[in-house]
Amino acid sequence: DTAVSQTPKYLVTQMGNDKSIKCEQNLGHDTMYWYKQDSKKFLKIMFSYNNKELIINETVPNRFSPKSPDKAHLNLHINSLELGDSAVYFCASSLTRLYGELFFGEGSRLTVL
Amino acid sequence: ILNVEQSPQSLHVQEGDSTNFTCSFPSSNFYALHWYRWETAKSPEALFVMTLNGDEKKKGRISATLNTKEGYSYLYIKGSQPEDSATYLCAQQNSGGSNYKLTFGKGTLLTVNP
């Protein structure tokens, strides 16, 4: 069983479309994250949820909207996709927001044409 | 230091060599320091989480030290093997703002030649 799973792994879409990436963790962790790996392979935090509550919201365009229906799921919806949104998006979870290493999903590679 | 910085950016060593690299981070509002190993086409995997000044942790041939007062951590690999080739990321968890955000460095890319 994959601990943190993301779908889809690959997503190719046109500019202007709306798309979602889903993430699920079966570790019983309280805290989940979305990270963006930029073109220089730098991992940058986008959002974090703790028990369904948004606790970190970095300077991300409001076209990006996270949703956490329960503490095991954190989805990322992106409206009006732009070329610059092309990246690999990683979901991760940790035991709590204070404690524990991050467990990462395999990443979702988004390509906007 | 305002950001998490890692050096060198990349490193090539021969199989059997021992090596080390550095992570520098802001010492104010320090909460924890994480090290991750990231192999190509995979996702990052945690190596160590350290919280106390002077902490030393070891896993097999890999070890790490932590100095929170001066804001640095070293990662050591003894007797490097080709399978150690990966990007090694450090990340500082900061208690400022009460959200305990984890900020990553840009990584050190290690290549071990057989």
Side-chain angles (χ1 to χ4, degrees), chain B residues 44-63:
Chain B
E45 290 183 353
L47 289 171
F48 308 112
V49 178
M50 297 185 287
T51 56
L52 298 175
N53 185 43
D55 245 357
E56 289 189 31
K57 296 219 171 181
K58 188 174 179 183
K59 186 183 288 190
R61 293 179 292 98
I62 304 177
S63 59

Side-chain angles (χ1 to χ4, degrees), chain A residues 1-6 23-32 70-74 91-95 103-105:
Chain A
D1 267 358
T2 305
V4 181
S5 58
Q6 299 178 225
C23 180
E24 176 181 3
Q25 54 97 2
N26 63 5
L27 298 167
H29 287 173
D30 284 350
T31 311
M32 295 185 73
D70 55 62
K71 76 173 194 177
H73 295 84
L74 179 60
C91 177
S93 71
S94 63
L95 187 62
F103 288 77
F104 283 88

Side-chain angles (χ1 to χ4, degrees), chain B residues 36-86:
Chain B
Y36 292 82
R37 173 190 153 84
W38 193 0
E39 289 183 70
T40 303
K42 295 188 177 180
S43 51
E45 290 183 353
L47 289 171
F48 308 112
V49 178
M50 297 185 287
T51 56
L52 298 175
N53 185 43
D55 245 357
E56 289 189 31
K57 296 219 171 181
K58 188 174 179 183
K59 186 183 288 190
R61 293 179 292 98
I62 304 177
S63 59
T65 60
L66 177 66
N67 182 322
T68 61
K69 293 188 189 311
E70 296 179 43
Y72 65 83
S73 175
Y74 294 133
L75 189 79
Y76 300 91
I77 303 179
K78 187 176 176 182
S80 303
Q81 300 296 307
E83 57 265 31
D84 296 330
S85 297

